[in-house]
Amino acid sequence: MAGWLRSLVGALTLLEVAAALSFLHHRYEEMVQALFRVQSQCPYVTRIYSIGRSVEGRHLYVLEFSDYPGIHEPLEPEFKYVGNMHGNEVLGRELLLQLSEFLCEEYRRSNERITRLIHDTRIHIMPSMNPDGYEVAAKQGPDSNGYLTGRNNANGVDLNRNFPDLNTFMYYSGEISGPNHHIPLPDNWKSQVEPETLAVIQWISSYNFVLSANLHGGAVVANYPYDKSQDQRFRSHRRTVNTPTPDDKLFQKLAKTYSYAHSWMHRGWNCGDYFADGITNGASWYSLSKGMQDFNYLYTNCFEITLELSCNKFPPEEDLERQWMANREALVAFIEEVHQGIKGMVSDENNNGIAGAVISVQGISHDITSGDMGDYFRLLLPGTYTITASAEGYQPQTVTTTVGPATPSLVHFQLKQDVVRKPLERKASGTRMNNKALQKKVVPRATRRGTQR
C-alpha cells in the first residue's frame, strides 16, 4: 500500500505542470536535433555522447542527465533506458524523447522530485539502438507498416537475438555448480555480433549500470528474466516454462512498479492477451535466446527488464500524447527503483577503493561486483540479509544488515590484507575473469499472437 501511495503522490506531483512537448514521429535527423535541443536547454545537467555507429553509420546517441554530467560520483547509481531495438517498434523511441524533454523542463521549473532524481542518479537515455531499421519502417509509415518491416538492422539481423548466449553456459554450469553471474564471453564473440550489439556490450562494460529497461512494442506487459528457458536445449522454442532468476521476487517487484504506475498495463487484458498484474517471466511467455535482458543480468551488475508498451508497433501520431500520459509516471517511478537495497564502499586498510570486489548475499546465488572506485550497489527487497565482501588478496568480511522500503541501506566494507598469501595484481572476481579488458572509456563514436521481443 505504501508503494501505491508513493506512486499516487508522485503522479500528482508530475501533473502539477505540463511541459510543452511535440507529439510527432522523429526521423533520425529530427531525433538528433531533439536531443541536442534538450542539451542546449539544460547544459549544466546533461551530456550527449555516442557509443558507436550503426551498420549504415548513424550514431547511437545517449543523452545523460546528472548534476555532474560525464562523471561517476561514488555511491550514485547508474541507470539506463534503451529504446527502438527493433526498428519498427517506435513508441519507446518517442517516449524517451518525451522523457528527455520532460526531465529538462521540470528541472528548470525546480520540480523537487525531478531535481532530486537528477542530483541522486546518473541517468542514461538511448532513444534508438536501431536507427537504420527505424528509417526503413518510417518510410512505410504507421498506416502501411508491415509486421517485420524495419525490425532488423541493416544487415537483416534481429538485435535482440544477437548477444552472446550466456544462458546456455549458465545452465550447463549450474549442473556442476558453476556461476550465474559475470560469466565470461566466448573468445570469438566480437565476430558473432553486429556493430550495434558490439557498441552496447562495450557501453555496458564501461559503466557500472545498476538498473535498466529495454522498450519494445507489440504487447502491453512488463517482462522480466530469464527470457530463455533451460528446457529450450531439448524442446521447441515455443515451449513455455517459467524460468526464474535467483532474484525472481525482486524482478517481479520491479516489473509491478512499472505496470501499476502505467495507466492500464496492470489490468492484465491487453492486445488479446492476459498477464496477471501486467507482468510476465520471459520464458513463461515464450523462450528467447541471445536476448539483451538476460545478457545484462548474466554478464554485468545490471538488472534489466523489457517493457512491451503498445499493441501497435508503429502507433499514429495522434495516439502519441495519450501514450505519453499513460507512461510518464511509470517511466519516472521505475528510475526511482534504482534507489533500493544496499550500497557502499569496499576499501582496503588505507581507504583505497577496491575495484572488482565480490558482494554476495546469503541465500541469493547471484553476486555483483564493486566499480572502479570501489563503490557497489545491490538491489534488494526489504528484509534482513547477511552480506559478504571479498576480493583477491584480502580477507573477506561479512555483516548482517536490514533493508528498509525507502532509501538504500549504507553498508561499507574495509578489507584487511590476506597475510597468508601476498596479494597478486588486483583484478576482478575470478568468475568475471577478463571483463576489465572491455571496460575502456567509450569514445563518442517468435512467438505468441504475433509479438516478438
Side-chain angles (χ1 to χ4, degrees), residues 226-260:
Y226 291 119
D227 263 338
K228 182 175 181 177
S229 169
Q230 184 170 3
D231 285 354
Q232 182 169 324
R233 295 179 299 162
F234 312 109
R235 299 184 174 94
S236 164
H237 71 280
R238 295 184 182 276
R239 173 80 176 182
T240 60
V241 179
N242 185 61
T243 309
T245 69
D247 289 285
D248 186 59
K249 291 182 179 179
L250 172 62
F251 270 118
Q252 289 188 43
K253 193 258 187 180
L254 293 171
K256 286 180 182 179
T257 295
Y258 198 96
S259 175
Y260 276 88

Side-chain angles (χ1 to χ4, degrees), residues 100-378:
S100 300
E101 292 188 35
F102 178 77
L103 292 176
C104 175
E105 182 68 20
E106 295 309 296
Y107 186 84
R108 294 174 65 188
R109 293 176 182 267
S110 299
N111 180 309
E112 182 180 350
R113 182 187 184 192
I114 299 304
T115 299
R116 182 173 63 251
L117 188 63
I118 292 175
H119 284 181
D120 294 345
T121 321
R122 194 177 180 197
I123 305 166
H124 305 255
I125 298 174
M126 181 194 290
S128 181
M129 182 181 164
N130 186 3
D132 298 350
Y134 176 86
E135 294 301 307
V136 174
K139 289 179 182 178
Q140 301 292 320
D143 298 327
S144 59
N145 184 260
Y147 174 70
L148 296 176
T149 304
R151 174 184 174 86
N152 298 337
N153 75 344
N155 286 336
V157 175
D158 185 332
L159 297 179
N160 206 30
R161 311 290 192 281
N162 189 234
F163 285 78
D165 182 6
L166 301 185
N167 295 73
T168 296
F169 180 86
M170 181 265 297
Y171 293 144
Y172 171 76
S173 298
E175 297 171 0
I176 55 174
S177 301
N180 67 355
H181 45 82
H182 299 104
I183 297 174
L185 299 179
D187 292 337
N188 61 342
W189 71 273
K190 287 187 179 180
S191 65
Q192 300 177 1
V193 300
E194 292 297 299
E196 297 89 348
T197 311
L198 173 62
V200 167
I201 292 174
Q202 291 177 327
W203 180 41
I204 65 180
S205 300
S206 302
Y207 293 82
N208 189 17
F209 289 114
V210 179
L211 182 63
S212 172
N214 179 19
L215 280 56
H216 285 248
V220 179
V221 64
N223 175 95
Y224 56 91
Y226 291 119
D227 263 338
K228 182 175 181 177
S229 169
Q230 184 170 3
D231 285 354
Q232 182 169 324
R233 295 179 299 162
F234 312 109
R235 299 184 174 94
S236 164
H237 71 280
R238 295 184 182 276
R239 173 80 176 182
T240 60
V241 179
N242 185 61
T243 309
T245 69
D247 289 285
D248 186 59
K249 291 182 179 179
L250 172 62
F251 270 118
Q252 289 188 43
K253 193 258 187 180
L254 293 171
K256 286 180 182 179
T257 295
Y258 198 96
S259 175
Y260 276 88
H262 187 280
S263 294
W264 56 80
M265 183 182 289
H266 60 279
R267 296 174 186 171
W269 283 110
N270 291 292
C271 315
D273 278 319
Y274 177 75
F275 300 98
D277 295 312
I279 69 172
T280 184
N281 170 264
S284 72
W285 185 10
Y286 63 87
S287 187
L288 182 160
S289 183
K290 300 183 179 181
M292 184 165 70
Q293 174 175 273
D294 286 5
F295 182 84
N296 270 268
Y297 185 69
L298 293 174
Y299 181 61
T300 78
N301 291 325
C302 189
F303 287 55
E304 178 169 287
I305 69 172
T306 301
L307 299 172
E308 301 280 352
L309 298 176
S310 61
C311 303
N312 190 339
K313 289 175 177 283
F314 205 126
E317 288 184 341
E318 54 266 29
D319 193 37
L320 293 180
E321 183 173 8
R322 181 181 75 97
Q323 291 286 357
W324 164 242
M325 297 306 294
N327 284 275
R328 186 177 67 179
E329 167 61 21
L331 287 166
V332 175
F334 187 73
I335 299 175
E336 292 172 329
E337 287 296 294
V338 77
H339 297 285
Q340 63 173 299
I342 62 173
K343 65 178 182 179
M345 300 294 300
V346 183
S347 60
D348 61 19
E349 294 174 281
N350 296 316
N351 294 317
N352 298 311
I354 300 176
V358 177
I359 309 300
S360 304
V361 182
Q362 184 176 309
I364 304 177
S365 58
H366 184 84
D367 300 342
I368 59 96
T369 56
S370 59
D372 290 340
M373 294 183 177
D375 56 343
Y376 75 90
F377 307 84
R378 206 333 174 163

